[in-house]
C-alpha cells in the first residue's frame, strides 16, 4: 500500500485520535481501547468510523 511517507504521521483515528499503523491493506488504530481497522481502497485511506472493522 503506497502511502506518502509524511501522510501516516499526520493521520489519526477519527474515533479516539490515536495514531494509525499500516497492516496489510488496512490502517489499524493503536489506541488500547479502540483498535479499529480502516480500509485503504485504491491507495486512499477511508477514515470513516462506519466503514471501519471492529477489532477481533
Amino acid at each position: 500500500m503506497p502511502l506518502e511517507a509524511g501522510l501516516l504521521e499526520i493521520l489519526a483515528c477519527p474515533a479516539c485520535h490515536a495514531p494509525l499503523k499500516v497492516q496489510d491493506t488496512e490502517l489499524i488504530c493503536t489506541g488500547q481501547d479502540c483498535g479499529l481497522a480502516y480500509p485503504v481502497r485504491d491507495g486512499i485511506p477511508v477514515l470513516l468510523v462506519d466503514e471501519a472493522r471492529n477489532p477481533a
Side-chain angles (χ1 to χ4, degrees), residues 13 15 23 26-38 49 52-56:
C13 175
Q23 186 176 35
E26 296 179 316
L27 293 176
I28 308 295
C29 176
T30 59
Q32 289 184 351
D33 295 332
C34 185
L36 292 174
Y38 297 94
V49 176
R53 180 178 58 80
N54 285 319

Side-chain angles (χ1 to χ4, degrees), residues 1 3 10 14 18 21 25 30 40 44 48 51-52:
M1 171 180 56
L3 289 177
I10 61 171
K21 66 178 180 178
T25 60
T30 59
V40 177
I44 301 169
L48 299 172
E51 294 284 325

